[in-house]
Amino acid sequence: MDVDIIDKDIITELSKLDLVHLAIAECYDMQSLMDAMRENFKDICRVLDVKSIQCTIDFSTETFLAQPMNMHFVIYETEGPEFDNFCRTHRTPSGESVQVEISYLTRTPTEEQLLKGKSICELVFLSVSRVRIATNLEDALNKDMVTGMPNTRAFYNYGEKLFRDYSIADYCVLALNISNFKFVNQTVPFVVGTSVLIKYAHKLLSFMKADEFATRAGGDNFNIVVKKENLEEFLENVKSIPIDIKDGNMRVHFDLTCYIGVCTVETRMSIQVAVENATSAMTLAKNTPHSPVVFYTDEIGEKQHHANRVRAGFQKGIENHEFIAYYQPKVNLITQEIIGMEALVRWEKDGAILNPGQFVGILENSRSIMELDMYMLKQVCRDIKRWESMGIKIPRISVNLSRRNLQNENIVDEIAAILDEYHVDYKYVEIEVTETVDNDEFKNLADFIKKMKQRGIKVSIDDFGTGYSSLNLLRSLDADVLKIDRSFINLPSFSETDELLVRSIVNLAKAYNMEVITEGVETNGQIKFLLEVGCRNVQGYFFDKPLTKEIVTERLKLGRYNKQYDLE
């Protein structure tokens, strides 16, 4: 507010008005303020022959779509003709325009009537301004500033009230994540993407029944409290939400689906625990194909506790050298010579040996997996130098690299720097990456392979055949080695179609000058099948499980196996 526009005489007159009993200091919302003014202005308005006092607040600067553009209040009105009027317009500190209009029953108001009328206008403005400041402070504390929804603080306060009232067991708590919202942000400008998020939030609010609550938990995540009897209807409503946005000449339409974790709240379960449980279930939903809604169970809770323990213990495990390399040989079926090995991580934790399946997937959700990749590469380099000093013939050793590391534009330099630090000949190391189905990851993978080829470091593609980009991989990526996924041979028997498919992959890979190896080989039948389709190199339990450094050292000294095949 610009104080200079208020006459000093009016400020003086304000102090003379008999309005001290107006308890506006206790009004924290606009409606209660106007009600108080209606009650307290009646007498003075009659004395001054006032016909009406009206207040209009313009919220055109507000960003919340849920906020009306203006509010109009009649503070005082009586019967009779209007002979004179004037209005005052000011802007509040938070940006709203406030217009107060006063009209008189008197044809020619006296100077006192006019001065006191102006004083009333200024008092209305000052009161509105104070309440708007209080309201904005409350909004800052309890509203999400992007969507206008209640924020997490307000959500937990509401949940704690339900807990205190012993009514929380009547509800389910949901954790909701919009599916692939990054596609929206990649498709439209940021401001339009924000509008999509806001509209989605308001659609969620429109599905809320009485005594239900929703909040934006950050990004494209929401937490929701829904009554148990309304859960099925709510889940149906949010299964797919259409969003239409018009921005200038741009019109966009999205059908947004979501992942949801549901915690069926039990008596005396706190809102914090319920949200944690729902979030655990939602995380599982995101990683479970064709299951967009997952209900929390004790088994999920145990998995979450295990994940928390893994994340909490990772750094200590690195510092204490608890992660060790096991090696699984790769074998030529014709000569049974060890032609390579894959380094596989194990975690010696609390007297037990944890397999990769118990911790790698958890670490892949954070930068920890990147640190583990480099840790393992260094350990393999140390083992190579040890075998070299023993005069052992060393086959090429593959070391796994996570997809997350492919986002590091300096990763090739870092790999080469480690090999150089340990003075390891590049011919002894092969970096193994997993086939990808994401376009952005595919670009990263292609760039990585190109740079690795320039350095003279070999790259293998693991789990080939598990993604839709498989044939594109053969055509577009200049990898050195192709590892056929175990799913192609993990069959009770092999049909002509199976043989044709695998033979085609082998021949295509060879046409692109790629080495081919099949993983997961365990039986004589699989070996017979692979020999028939022309795949000579294998890896699997038929020859050996992953071995400790000490045992594999003895295998390397022999250099080959002497297994008997039953190819009948």
Side-chain angles (χ1 to χ4, degrees):
M1 178 187 66
D2 187 352
V3 177
D4 291 338
I5 66 173
I6 302 179
D7 297 336
K8 292 181 180 180
D9 290 341
I10 293 177
I11 295 177
T12 303
E13 199 63 33
L14 282 172
S15 64
K16 296 179 181 178
L17 286 173
D18 186 21
L19 297 173
V20 179
H21 60 290
L22 180 59
I24 61 171
E26 298 178 4
C27 299
Y28 296 97
D29 64 87
M30 206 59 64
Q31 191 60 56
S32 62
L33 174 67
M34 296 302 166
D35 290 344
M37 286 184 173
R38 291 188 187 102
E39 181 63 28
N40 289 279
F41 280 7
K42 289 187 297 186
D43 293 340
I44 193 169
C45 286
R46 281 194 290 266
V47 171
L48 296 176
D49 282 340
V50 171
K51 167 70 170 67
S52 70
I53 302 175
Q54 301 187 52
C55 177
T56 301
I57 307 171
D58 184 359
F59 294 94
S60 59
T61 59
E62 286 286 286
T63 57
F64 301 150
L65 296 184
Q67 176 70 57
M69 294 304 292
N70 62 68
M71 298 173 68
H72 181 77
F73 300 95
V74 177
I75 297 173
Y76 177 81
E77 189 167 37
T78 189
E79 297 293 332
E82 176 185 322
F83 287 105
D84 200 358
N85 69 78
F86 67 85
C87 68
R88 307 283 285 188
T89 301
H90 300 306
R91 193 167 292 279
T92 70
S94 50
E96 302 89 355
S97 175
V98 180
Q99 177 180 289
V100 186
E101 181 178 4
I102 186 167
S103 62
Y104 292 93
L105 296 165
T106 307
R107 187 176 297 277
T108 306
T110 66
E111 184 177 344
E112 180 182 9
Q113 284 177 297
L114 291 172
L115 187 58
K116 288 187 176 181
K118 291 179 181 179
S119 299
I120 290 173
C121 289
E122 301 301 341
L123 182 58
V124 171
F125 168 71
L126 292 170
S127 302
V128 167
S129 183
R130 188 200 64 80
V131 170
R132 284 302 297 158
I133 291 172
T135 302
N136 288 339
L137 288 173
E138 186 67 16
D139 286 349
L141 288 173
N142 294 295
K143 278 191 177 181
D144 172 58
M145 302 311 289
V146 174
T147 63
M149 297 180 81
N151 63 13
T152 302
R153 175 180 181 271
F155 179 83
Y156 279 112
N157 286 341
Y158 186 78
E160 287 168 3
K161 178 181 179 298
L162 295 178
F163 181 80
R164 291 193 303 271
D165 294 344
Y166 297 95
S167 59
I168 196 167
D170 296 333
Y171 293 84
C172 292
V173 171
L174 282 60
L176 181 151
N177 172 260
I178 302 176
S179 304
N180 198 24
F181 192 75
K182 68 178 181 180
F183 172 75
V184 175
N185 288 326
Q186 292 170 349
T187 305
V188 298
F190 176 79
V191 66
V192 179
T194 301
S195 297
V196 172
L197 184 67
I198 292 171
K199 276 204 170 185
Y200 187 89
H202 294 161
K203 286 284 185 76
L204 288 183
L205 291 175
S206 72
F207 300 143
M208 299 286 98
K209 302 291 179 66
D211 301 324
E212 297 180 341
F213 211 77
T215 181
R216 175 171 172 255
D220 55 355
N221 295 291
F222 300 84
N223 290 331
I224 303 159
V225 171
V226 176
K227 284 190 172 180
K228 290 178 178 177
E229 62 263 29
N230 299 330
L231 178 62
E232 185 175 348
E233 179 184 353
F234 180 84
L235 293 177
E236 183 63 29
N237 285 335
V238 301
K239 185 182 296 184
S240 179
I241 297 180
I243 301 292
D244 292 287
I245 295 290
K246 179 182 178 182
D247 183 64
N249 295 326
M250 178 183 292
R251 293 175 180 270
V252 293
H253 174 86
F254 297 99
D255 290 308
L256 298 182
T257 58
C258 60
Y259 302 105
I260 297 179
V262 181
C263 175
T264 303
V265 184
E266 301 173 358
T267 304
R268 305 312 297 162
M269 179 183 286
S270 71
I271 185 67
Q272 290 83 1
V273 170
V275 169
E276 289 174 6
N277 293 348
T279 302
S280 296
M282 184 266 288
T283 301
L284 183 59
K286 292 177 69 173
N287 296 318
T288 306
H290 314 302
S291 297
V293 179
V294 172
F295 285 76
Y296 176 83
T297 63
D298 290 340
E299 181 181 358
I300 292 174
E302 180 52 41
K303 288 181 179 178
Q304 185 60 43
H305 291 318
H306 171 70
N308 291 338
R309 290 194 296 269
V310 166
R311 284 188 283 266
F314 172 75
Q315 204 58 50
K316 182 180 178 182
I318 289 288
E319 293 169 1
N320 294 342
H321 305 287
E322 296 173 2
F323 295 96
I324 56 176
Y326 276 48
Y327 294 91
Q328 187 173 35
K330 301 174 183 179
V331 181
N332 180 286
L333 289 177
I334 305 301
T335 65
Q336 293 199 23
E337 180 185 3
I338 297 176
I339 49 93
M341 294 192 297
E342 180 179 2
L344 298 163
V345 64
R346 297 292 187 269
W347 190 353
E348 290 185 327
K349 182 175 174 61
D350 302 326
I353 302 292
L354 301 185
N355 292 319
Q358 295 173 277
F359 60 89
V360 168
I362 297 166
L363 298 177
E364 282 178 339
N365 294 321
S366 69
R367 295 182 63 86
S368 297
I369 193 65
M370 301 170 71
E371 185 177 356
L372 181 60
D373 286 347
M374 298 300 101
Y375 177 93
M376 287 297 295
L377 179 58
K378 291 177 182 179
Q379 189 169 141
V380 167
C381 287
R382 287 192 291 269
D383 289 342
I384 288 173
K385 297 307 293 183
R386 175 173 174 269
W387 290 324
E388 198 173 39
S389 68
M390 297 170 65
I392 294 176
K393 182 181 178 181
I394 305 169
R396 192 165 69 234
I397 301 173
S398 62
V399 182
N400 289 284
L401 190 75
S402 71
R403 292 178 181 176
R404 188 175 286 269
N405 249 319
L406 293 178
Q407 300 170 10
N408 176 7
E409 60 183 20
N410 298 317
I411 187 61
V412 173
D413 292 336
E414 293 176 14
I415 290 171
I418 290 173
L419 298 181
D420 292 341
E421 177 187 353
Y422 287 90
H423 305 288
V424 169
D425 194 316
Y426 290 1
K427 70 180 181 180
Y428 291 135
V429 175
E430 169 188 304
I431 301 299
E432 192 166 302
V433 292
T434 304
E435 179 187 351
T436 178
V437 298
D438 181 274
N439 285 334
D440 289 337
E441 289 183 349
F442 186 87
K443 293 175 183 177
N444 292 336
L445 179 59
D447 185 58
F448 171 77
I449 293 175
K450 179 181 178 181
K451 291 179 179 178
M452 291 288 280
K453 295 282 281 189
Q454 292 171 349
R455 292 274 190 169
I457 306 172
K458 292 189 179 295
V459 178
S460 63
I461 304 295
D462 193 17
D463 298 335
F464 179 82
T466 58
Y468 70 78
S469 62
S470 297
L471 293 179
N472 199 35
L473 276 171
L474 287 177
R475 182 175 62 84
S476 305
L477 299 180
D478 190 20
D480 301 286
V481 182
L482 189 72
K483 293 186 72 175
I484 299 176
D485 186 70
R486 68 182 65 234
S487 60
F488 285 92
I489 61 166
N490 189 20
L491 302 169
S493 60
F494 299 99
S495 65
E496 291 182 6
T497 302
D498 298 326
E499 180 178 343
L500 178 62
L501 177 59
V502 179
R503 187 188 298 275
S504 298
I505 293 172
V506 171
N507 290 338
L508 274 172
K510 289 179 178 178
Y512 284 111
N513 295 317
M514 292 183 182
E515 299 175 28
V516 183
I517 185 168
T518 301
E519 58 186 347
V521 176
E522 299 180 4
T523 68
N524 276 286
Q526 292 170 340
I527 289 175
K528 178 183 178 183
F529 173 74
L530 290 171
L531 286 171
E532 289 173 351
V533 299
C535 182
R536 301 288 184 260
N537 299 329
V538 301
Q539 174 185 345
Y541 284 12
F542 183 88
F543 289 97
D544 259 319
K545 295 181 179 181
L547 305 171
T548 64
K549 178 172 59 180
E550 291 73 24
I551 295 177
V552 87
T553 298
E554 299 305 313
R555 289 281 191 273
L556 289 175
K557 288 178 180 178
L558 295 174
R560 56 175 295 158
Y561 288 86
N562 188 24
K563 296 273 189 176
Q564 297 297 314
Y565 301 148
D566 181 6
L567 302 180
E568 295 299 325

